[in-house]
Amino acid sequence: MERSEKRCPCGTGDVYGECCEPLHRGEREAATAEGLMRSRFSAFAFADADYVMRTWHPRTRPDSVEFDPGERWTRLEIVDKTDGSPFHDQGTVTFRAYFRNSDGRGYLEERSSFVKEEGRWLYRDGDAEFHPQ
């Protein structure tokens, strides 16, 4: 089964080819802050640095993004969100991103801030804590 036909890592239950893949390919933009958050999680799961960088606000974006080849992002849980609808220009999403690596399992909990500029949602910054399990 091809990646496009498998369930999307973002947790919506949709197949990747109809969920986050069109965003990753630049065929459409995320309609909400949560949608951007979910597509960025999928980009981390697939080590898609180009998409991660493209959706990061230029004022807070690092020079590059490195992925740990031994780390696997396994599940996303949305904990809370404020604003971030198609009718807002900013929003926050609090989430837990579960992972496995050579040290075991754990999750990252982050409250991310998003801003919409020129009709595009962008990740601005976030407060994150790692929790090994």
Side-chain angles (χ1 to χ4, degrees):
M1 184 179 291
E2 291 186 33
R3 180 186 289 185
S4 293
E5 299 169 343
K6 293 181 181 178
R7 293 271 178 232
C8 192
C10 79
T12 60
D14 295 333
V15 296
Y16 175 65
E18 297 173 9
C19 191
C20 290
E21 186 176 34
L23 281 76
H24 293 169
R25 289 186 174 183
E27 297 168 0
R28 65 179 166 91
E29 297 290 333
T32 64
E34 180 182 343
L36 182 62
M37 171 59 245
R38 288 182 179 281
S39 69
R40 285 174 56 87
F41 175 82
S42 291
F44 273 91
F46 293 134
D48 183 347
D50 180 57
Y51 184 76
V52 170
M53 295 296 285
R54 199 168 68 240
T55 58
W56 206 317
H57 196 283
R59 281 185 247 149
T60 58
R61 180 175 49 220
D63 293 334
S64 64
V65 174
E66 304 281 328
F67 295 101
D68 179 348
E71 194 164 61
R72 184 167 175 249
W73 295 96
T74 59
R75 183 168 61 98
L76 177 66
E77 175 187 347
I78 303 298
V79 176
D80 191 26
K81 59 186 175 181
T82 56
D83 298 333
S85 80
F87 306 105
H88 294 109
D89 60 4
Q90 59 185 348
T92 63
V93 179
T94 303
F95 66 92
R96 289 186 183 137
Y98 293 83
F99 63 88
R100 288 186 204 153
N101 61 25
S102 59
D103 295 328
R105 297 172 186 230
Y107 66 92
L108 164 77
E109 184 167 54
E110 180 173 322
R111 182 175 187 266
S112 297
S113 297
F114 297 89
V115 61
K116 187 164 49 172
E117 293 185 355
E118 298 177 13
R120 270 186 78 220
W121 282 104
L122 297 167
Y123 170 79
R124 185 173 36 208
D125 57 22
D127 294 320
E129 290 183 18
F130 279 94
H131 300 271
Q133 292 182 327

